[in-house]
Amino acid sequence: TDLQVTGIDFLKSQNCPQHHTDAYNIKNLVVRRGQPFNVQLSFSRELKASDKLALRFGIGEKPMKTRGTLMSLNPRQDPDISGWKISIVKNSGKECLLSVTSSPSAPVGRYTLNVKTGSNIYKPENSDVYLLFNPWCEGDIVFLANDEQRKEYVLNDTGCIYVGSAYSIYSRPWNFGQFEEFVLDACMYLMDKSQLKLGHKRDPVAVSRAMSALVNANDDSGVLLGNWSGNYSNGTSPMDWIGSVSIMQQYYKTKRPVCYGQCWVFAGVLTTVMRCLGIPSRCVSTFNSAHDTDENLRVDVYLNEEGRKLDSMSFDSVWNFHVWNDVWMKRQDLPPGFDGWQAIDATPQEQSQGAFQCGPCPLKAVREGDVYLPFDSKFVYAEVNADQVYWLVKKVNGKEKFFRLSTETRGIGMNINLSTKAVGQDRREDITLEYKYPEGSEQERRAMQRASTFIRPVGLIPRTHYASVGPMGPQSKPGVLHETVSKTGLQIEITNKEVLYPGNPLELAITVKTSTPGSWTINLVGSCQLQSYTGKAEADLGGVKETIKLEGKSEKQIPLKIMPDTYMKTLSSVEDEVLIHVTTIAEVQETNDKLTKEVTKRFEYPPINIQMPETARLNQQFTCAFIFKNRLNIPLDNCKLLVEGLGLFKMAAFDQGDLLPGKIMKSEVICTPTRVGEKKIIAKLTATQIKGISAEKGITVS
C-alpha cells in the first residue's frame, strides 16, 4: 500500500523555547534560521527503507526548485544545495521524528510546508512556518555574542525612549510589543509589500532599509503617517501613543496608514518590526539634532536684534531631539571594519535613492568620517556633527544685513548627545562615543576633515530663502570652523530659579560673566519662546534688554520672569508638547565681540502613582490602581488616562473629565497575567493643558 501521512506535530512546546520564539502569540510554528527544529510525522503504516519521503518548504507566490524558492528535503539523500539539512532522529512504528535545520542565510519569511510521499502530497493545517533572523546563530550575519544584549535588543518587548532637550532629558516609556497578536503577521505583510527580491529577503541590510521606508507612509502607504502641523483632528496625536501594538494591529487590519506619527513613534514602531523579525535593534535619541538639508555640515541659525529666532529664513533646522534606530549586523557588502551597529531612520526627512528611507549606515563610518559609504552616511554624519553658525539679521538703511555672531562646534551632538536604554536596566546609557570621537579631540577634528573632503564645503555665506544676495558681515574662508573665543572671556549661563510647573510664573535668570582684566560694557538681549520639539517657535513670551558693566573677573545675573497668563493660552491651544526656549545675544561694546547662547527646558509635572503588588502568579487576577493628584495651580480640563500592560491586560482608556487643583483621580484595572517573567505597566495622562505625564511600574510574574 502507498505510504500516506496522517498527521504532523510541529512540537511547538519543545521547538519554540529553544528558538526563543515562545512569546509570539500565534498558532503557527515560529523558528530562527540556521538552528535545528523537530517535527513528528504520523504515517498510515511503518516507514520502510524503499519509501520516498520529502519535506517541502516553499516561500513566495509560486515556489519552484529552479528559483530556489522551494526546498525539497529528503532525509535519505545528500543535503540540499541551499544549505538546508534534514535527518531522521527516530523511526518507530507509524511515527517518525525528523530534525530540520534551515540555512543560516535562508530568506526570512513565511514558508508553506507540505510532505510528499511517493505521489501523495499532505498539506497540514496551520502549515505556515515563520522563519526569522537568528542572533543566537554564529552563521547568521545578525549574530550577537552577548546574551544580555540579545535579551534587551531582541526579546525585550518594553522599553523607553529618551526625549526632551539637551538640558533636560527624560524618558517616555514605550511598549514595543513585538510578540503581541497580529504583529508578526503585520511584519510579514510588510515583507511582502516591500517587493524585495527573494535574495534580498535573506539580507538584513536590505530588509532593514526596506522597513525604514515602510514604517512611514510616504510614497508606499506604509504604517504611519507623519504629522508635525499641530492639528491631529482626523487621527491620534503623536503624544497619545504609548506603544506600537495598537498601531501595528490597526495597520494590519485596515492595510492603510495609521494617523499620526512623529520621530519617537516612528522609532518605536521600527524597533518593534526589527525585533519581531529577529534583527537586534535599539532606539537612539540625539539632542540638538541637526537637519542639514544641503549636506554642507553646517546649520545656519538666524536671530533678529531682540534675539528671537527667525524660523522662516532657514532651510536647515535643529531639532531639540530626534529619535532613530541602530540595528546590529555584519556588513558583507562593505570593506572590512564596518560590522556592528548601523543607524536606520524611519522618520521621513529627506529622500534617499528616490524614497523616504535612511540607512543602514555603519556607526564606525560616522565616527571615522567615511561618509562616502552606503547608506546615507552624510545625512547621519551631519545629524551628529554639523557646526552651528549664528547670524544676526539687522536692518541697515532699509536693507537686511547679516553679521556672523559665533560658530558653535559643540552645539550639535553635544557631549550628552546620544542616548539609549541601558541593557537590562531602566537607565539612560550615553553612546556618544560609538558615533564620534571626544569633542575637540585630535581624532574628532581629523574625522571632520576627512568627512569634509567628501562633502562639498561652502564659504561662510548665509544661505537663506532670500538672503543669498546683499551686503555681508565679516567673511571667513571655507573649511573646518573653530569655536569663537572672545577677548573678554565672555560667558552666558541660563538657569531657572524655581521648578517650571505649568500655571506658575517661569522664573528664569541669565548670568553674564567676564574673566579677563578690563572694564567691559555689554549689551544683552534675551528672548523667551515656547517651542515644539522640532525647534519651531509656537509663541513669543517676552524678553529682556539691558546694558551692563563688568570689571575684570565678575558676573551679573539678570532675572527673566514670565507670568502664567502670557503662556497658558498657547499651552492649552497647541496639541504638541512644548518646551521653554531662551536665546540670548551679548555684545561687548569695547571689542565688538558677540556671543550667543540658547537653552531649552521642559515643564515639570506631578507624578502618576501606580499601586499594585510586586509579584503575581500566572492566570491569577490582581488589581492595579492609578492615582493622580493635581498639584498644579490650574484646573486640568478633559483628562484622559491611557494604560497598557503587555501580558497582563488589554489597553484601556479612562475619560476623567476636569480635575481641579488639589483634587485626586483614581482608576483601576483587573490584571490577569498570561505570560511569566518581568512585566511592565505603562500609564499616560493627557489634558488640554498638559500633553503627556507618563509612569511605568514593573511586576514579576511566576
Side-chain angles (χ1 to χ4, degrees), residues 564-583:
D565 51 357
T566 322
Y567 68 84
M568 278 313 298
K569 199 169 161 210
T570 308
L571 219 52
S572 306
S573 64
V574 297
E575 289 197 48
D576 294 302
E577 182 167 51
V578 288
L579 298 148
I580 302 154
H581 185 81
V582 182
T583 315

Side-chain angles (χ1 to χ4, degrees), residues 229-345:
S229 71
N231 176 7
Y232 311 114
S233 51
N234 303 331
T236 301
S237 158
M239 282 297 298
D240 289 356
W241 300 112
I242 54 177
S244 312
V245 181
S246 48
I247 296 170
M248 292 294 283
Q249 288 174 342
Q250 185 184 325
Y251 180 70
Y252 184 61
K253 192 171 148 190
T254 64
K255 309 288 191 283
R256 294 174 59 164
V258 176
C259 301
Y260 294 102
Q262 287 176 5
C263 71
W264 69 93
V265 191
F266 287 111
V269 172
L270 190 52
T271 301
T272 301
V273 172
M274 291 289 107
R275 289 185 184 179
C276 186
L277 293 172
I279 299 176
S281 175
R282 63 188 183 188
C283 286
V284 174
S285 305
T286 175
F287 296 89
N288 287 349
S289 169
H291 182 163
D292 173 23
T293 50
D294 53 338
E295 292 191 344
N296 64 356
L297 288 192
R298 214 188 68 213
V299 174
D300 294 308
V301 181
Y302 300 93
L303 305 173
N304 68 8
E305 293 178 69
E306 276 83 61
R308 279 211 298 277
K309 268 190 173 168
L310 303 169
D311 285 342
S312 59
M313 280 193 144
S314 188
F315 284 112
D316 299 331
S317 57
V318 177
W319 291 20
N320 280 301
F321 67 89
H322 179 47
V323 191
W324 65 76
N325 299 81
D326 285 344
V327 281
W328 180 271
M329 63 191 67
K330 285 198 179 80
R331 286 299 293 270
Q332 295 174 325
D333 56 325
L334 298 181
F338 295 101
D339 297 343
W341 289 115
Q342 317 283 321
I344 58 173
D345 193 346

